[in-house]
Amino acid sequence: MHETFFFLSSKNFYKSFASKPFVFYWHVSEKTLTLEPKSLFCILCLHNAKTVVATIMADVMVMKEIEDTALRLGLDLSTLDLDSVRLPPGENCGILSDDDEVYQEDNLEFESGFGNIIVVDNLPVVPKEKFEKLEGVVRKIYSQIGVIKEDGLWMPVDPETDKTLGYCFIEYNTPQEAELAKDKTHGYKLDRAHIFCVSMFDDFDRFMKVPNEWALPETKPYAPGENLQHWLTDAKARDQFVIRAGSDTEVLWNDARHLKPDPVYKRAFWTESFVQWSPLGTYLATVHRQGAAVWGGSSSFNRLMRYAHPQVKLIDFSPGEKYLVTYSSSEPSNPRDANRVVINIFDVRTGKVMRDFKGSADDFAVGGAGGVTGVSWPVFKWSGGRDDKYFARMGKNVLSVYETETFSLVDKKSLKVENIMDFCWSPTDPIIALFVPEMGGGNQPARVSLIQVPSKEELRQKNLFSVSDCKIYWQSNGDYLAVNVERYTKTKKSTYTGFELFRIKERDIPIEVLELENKNDKIIAFAWEPKGHRFVVIHGDNPKPDVSIYSMRTGQNSRVSKLTTLKGKQANALFWSPAGRYIVLAGLKGFNGQLEFYNVDELETMATAEHFMATDIEWDPTGRYVATAVTSVHEMENGFNIWSFNGKHLYRILKDHFFQFLWRPRPPSFLSPEKEEEIAKNLKKYSKKYEAEDQDVSLLLSEQERDKRRMLKEDWDKWIHEWKRIHEEESLHRQKLRDGEASDEEEEYEAKDIEVEEVIDVSEEVLHLEYGQE
C-alpha cells in the first residue's frame, strides 16, 4: 500500500482566515470534512489514503466564529456539500491581502516556517491506553536535545482504530535544535522492531517539487571563464593587496617604482565582516549573513560561487583551495545549554556541501580533558601539500582524521589518544605531531609523537618529564620540527625552557636538545626561516630582550649551533621574508612599532625605523616589500606604510577606520630548485632588462619631479610679479604717508634725534601754612 505525501501552502490560508489553529479531517469514503483545533501546521495524506490531516499553525478562525458566521448567514454546516464549492482561481483565491503591497514594495523573502519541526517515523502503533506512555518516552528522548514547544509534540491517531499511526511531529523553538535532533536520533533504536526514521518537515515540500516525469536538462552553451591566474602575468611583476577601510574594500597593485598604489577594483559594502584570500591567491572570500562567497579575476572580480550558511562567522580554506570550511554558532533557547555550532565543508568550485558537523560548542571544545569550553579556530586542520587529502580535529581523548575521497574517518574510526592537548600537520607530508601532557600525577610522562597517515604508524616518540607547557613549530618544508618545552624546576615554584629539535628527513628521525644559556629566560617568540635551516628566538625577562639566531647545520656539521645573539632589542615579534635570508625584528604594542631590518646571511642590521602604533606587519609573497599597518584598534594614524626589504620607506597611505591589509598570495613556482639555483647564479644576465626598466622609471620620476618643481617656480614667479604690480600701484600713497619722500629704500633716509617737550597736565594746589612756619 502506497503512502502519498502532499502539501497545501499556508500562504493562502494565512491571507484568508484569522485567529486560531484547526485541523481538517477529510473522509474519502463519506466525502465529509470535519475541523478540530490543533497546534501543528501540516497537511499530509496519511496511511492508505483514507484521511487527510491538515494542521495549520497560522492565524485562522476559531470554530466558534465559523459557526456564528454560518448562523448569521442562515447556513447549516451539516448540509453543506463541500464538493460543490469552487474556489476562485489564483494563489490568493481572489482575496487581496493587506500585506500584498508590503510584499511587493520590499520584495521580501519569507521562510516557510517549518524549519523547527521534525517528523519521527517508525514509532510503535499503540492503542489509546498506551498513548501517554509512548508520548512520555518520545518526549524524554527529544527534550534532552532541545526545548520542545508547548503542545509541540503531536502523534496522530487513526479515528477508526483509535491507535497511533506510527509517527509523530515535534516542534522545537529553533531550527538549529530541530536539525540537531534529526542528526542525533535518525537511526535511533528504540527496540528491535522500531528504529527511528527522522526527517525535517521542510524536506517533504522539497520532495513534492520533484516532477513526476523526467525531463532532459537544458544544455547551456560553453562560455569560457576569466583566467583566474591572469594577474600573475603582470608585465611589471607587481603584487596585489586588499584593504578594508570604512565601508569600502579595495584591491590595488603595489606600484613601488612609482611610489604609490595602483587601483584595481573598489566596492562598497563588499563584505559584512572581513575578507580573506585563498592560500594560492586564486579567490577572494567575503562573508555575509546568508553565507560566504568567492570572487576571482585580475581586475573585474566577478562572483564565482556562493556558499549558503546562515549567520556564518568564520571561514577557512584547505591548502590546495579545493574546500572551504564555514562556521556558525547560535545561542540555544535554554541559556544553561551550550551554543549550537554548525560547520560545513564545501567544494569550492561546485558549492556542494561535502560534509557537515553539528553539535554544541562543548562537542568542538579544545582540550583533551574537556575542561576548555571555547572553540578554537580552525576546528579542522588540513594535511600539508596541495592535494587536500586529509583533515583532522581533536576530540575528548581522540584524534579524528578524515579523508576527502569519502569525507569519512580513516579506517572508519578515530585514533584514541588519552588526554591529547594539541596536534599539528607537517606542511608537506601526511605526518601529525601531537602532544600529550603528563597523567597520573606525573607517573606517566608527557610525550610528543609523530604519526604517519593513513597507516597511523608511530614514527617517533619523545617522553618529556615535569612539563608545564609545550608548543609545536614545523619548518615550512617539513624538514625540521621544534618543540618548545617549558618545564618545572624541582621545587615546582618556577619554570625553565628548552627545545627538542626533530630532523624529520633523516634516518630514524634523530632528536637534539637545545637549552638557552640562561635556562630561566622566557621565550617571547620563535620562527623558522622559510625553506631554510635557521631559526630565531626572542628570549629574556628584561624590557629589552635578547634575540638569538641558530642554524640546524653549519658547514659539514649537522648539529644545531648558535650563529649570534643580539643583546637588548626592542622586539617582541619576528617576521621572516618568504624567501628567507631577511627578517624584521618588530616591537609591537608596548614598543610602539619599532622595526629593525636584519640580514641573517651577513649577520648585520640593514636599517632601523619606526611605524608608530603599528599593529600588523606582513611581507609580500616575493619577499621584496614589507607592509606595516595601524588598524582601527587605534583611533589615530590609521593606514599603512610600504617598505623595501632592506628597510627603505617607499610610501604611506592614511585611511580612516582602517580594518585590514592582506597581500594576495602567489602559488608556488613551477621552476625546479635546480632551475632556481641556475637563475640565481646568472642573475646579472637576467637583471639587465629590469635594471634598464628601473632606470627608465627613475628618469621618468626625475622628469616628473623636475616638472613639479618647474610648476612651483612658475607659480612663485607669478606671485612675485603680481606683488610688484600692487607695490607700484601703491607707491604714491606710500610717498604721501612719508611727507613727500619718494624713495622706499630705508638706507637713503637720514636719522635725526629730535627732542619734543610736551605738557601733559597742569594742576594747582593751595597749601595752608600754620603760624610760626615759614
Side-chain angles (χ1 to χ4, degrees), residues 3 61 116 120 140 149 224 315 321 339 345 372 383 450 460 480 507 513 597 606 610 613 615 680 740 743 746 764:
E3 290 185 12
M61 191 173 292
N116 60 335
V120 184
K140 181 178 179 181
K149 280 190 174 182
I315 61 174
E321 300 182 340
N339 284 6
I345 302 179
V372 181
S383 61
L450 297 177
R460 193 73 161 87
Y480 310 107
R507 184 179 178 181
V513 177
F597 295 80
M606 298 181 291
E610 181 186 35
M613 295 190 298
T615 57
S743 176
E746 294 184 1
E764 293 182 1

Side-chain angles (χ1 to χ4, degrees), residues 463-732:
N463 291 333
L464 306 169
F465 297 89
S466 302
V467 175
S468 168
D469 192 15
C470 182
K471 295 183 177 65
I472 300 172
Y473 303 96
W474 280 97
Q475 184 255 9
S476 62
N477 286 348
D479 294 336
Y480 310 107
L481 173 70
V483 179
N484 177 16
V485 184
E486 188 174 327
R487 291 179 169 92
Y488 290 110
T489 58
K490 292 182 179 180
T491 61
K492 302 288 185 179
K493 294 182 179 180
S494 60
T495 60
Y496 65 96
T497 304
F499 291 92
E500 306 285 336
L501 303 172
F502 293 69
R503 297 180 182 271
I504 305 298
K505 300 297 175 68
E506 296 184 17
R507 184 179 178 181
D508 297 331
I509 311 180
I511 303 173
E512 291 183 67
V513 177
L514 173 65
E515 292 184 350
L516 302 177
E517 293 179 0
N518 184 355
K519 295 194 299 184
N520 296 324
D521 276 359
K522 178 183 177 182
I523 303 299
I524 299 172
F526 176 97
W528 283 104
E529 177 185 22
K531 305 177 184 178
H533 56 88
R534 294 171 291 201
F535 61 91
V536 180
V537 183
I538 302 179
H539 55 93
D541 297 318
N542 299 324
K544 293 184 178 181
D546 297 338
V547 179
S548 294
I549 303 173
Y550 295 86
S551 173
M552 293 296 288
R553 63 174 186 263
T554 306
Q556 300 298 323
N557 187 2
S558 62
R559 292 186 60 82
V560 62
S561 60
K562 185 171 72 172
L563 302 180
T564 187
T565 294
L566 309 176
K567 296 289 187 178
K569 293 295 180 179
Q570 290 184 314
N572 54 17
L574 300 167
F575 299 92
W576 276 99
S577 163
R581 184 177 180 181
Y582 305 113
I583 190 171
V584 175
L585 312 177
L588 305 179
K589 299 180 180 178
F591 288 125
N592 291 326
Q594 298 294 321
L595 307 172
E596 182 172 344
F597 295 80
Y598 194 80
N599 185 336
V600 181
D601 280 359
E602 304 297 332
L603 297 178
E604 63 181 11
T605 298
M606 298 181 291
T608 57
E610 181 186 35
H611 186 176
F612 185 62
M613 295 190 298
T615 57
D616 299 275
I617 298 176
E618 188 175 358
W619 284 84
D620 84 321
T622 64
R624 295 176 295 174
Y625 304 102
V626 181
T628 60
V630 178
T631 57
S632 58
V633 296
H634 297 298
E635 296 181 0
M636 306 282 292
E637 301 293 328
N638 280 196
F640 63 94
N641 288 353
I642 300 295
W643 312 75
S644 67
F645 72 94
N646 57 359
K648 180 182 178 182
H649 184 255
L650 300 177
Y651 62 89
R652 181 185 190 189
I653 301 294
L654 295 178
K655 292 278 187 180
D656 291 335
H657 306 292
F658 188 72
F659 300 119
Q660 267 187 293
F661 182 104
L662 295 172
W663 290 104
R664 188 172 191 173
R666 284 178 175 263
S669 172
F670 289 107
L671 298 177
S672 64
E674 293 77 17
K675 186 63 176 178
E676 290 184 358
E677 187 176 350
E678 178 191 342
I679 292 174
K681 289 181 179 179
N682 301 294
L683 189 60
K684 290 185 178 180
K685 181 178 71 173
Y686 296 108
S687 62
K688 288 181 180 179
K689 171 187 173 183
Y690 300 103
E691 288 175 355
E693 291 180 0
D694 289 343
Q695 187 175 2
D696 292 341
V697 171
S698 179
L699 292 174
L700 177 61
L701 292 176
S702 299
E703 184 64 29
Q704 290 175 349
E705 183 66 24
R706 284 194 293 270
D707 290 342
K708 181 180 178 181
R709 291 184 179 182
R710 185 167 53 252
M711 291 177 62
L712 291 173
K713 178 67 165 54
E714 289 174 356
D715 291 342
W716 170 257
D717 292 340
K718 184 178 178 180
W719 184 83
I720 291 294
H721 178 75
E722 182 66 17
W723 182 84
K724 286 182 177 180
R725 184 187 62 79
I726 297 173
H727 187 265
E728 289 294 332
E729 291 177 355
E730 296 177 345
S731 61
L732 294 177

Side-chain angles (χ1 to χ4, degrees), residues 4 20 41 92 127 239 297 415 443 529 590 615 626 647 654 690:
T4 306
K20 297 292 182 181
F41 182 56
N92 298 324
D239 281 287
L415 179 64
N443 294 327
E529 177 185 22
T615 57
V626 181
L654 295 178
Y690 300 103

Side-chain angles (χ1 to χ4, degrees), residues 401 410-411 415 430-434 449-461 508-509:
V401 182
V410 173
D411 294 338
L415 179 64
I431 299 175
I432 294 176
L434 60 86
S449 299
L450 297 177
I451 308 295
Q452 179 82 48
V453 176
S455 65
K456 299 182 181 179
E457 174 191 358
E458 187 175 66
L459 303 177
R460 193 73 161 87
Q461 176 181 313
D508 297 331
I509 311 180

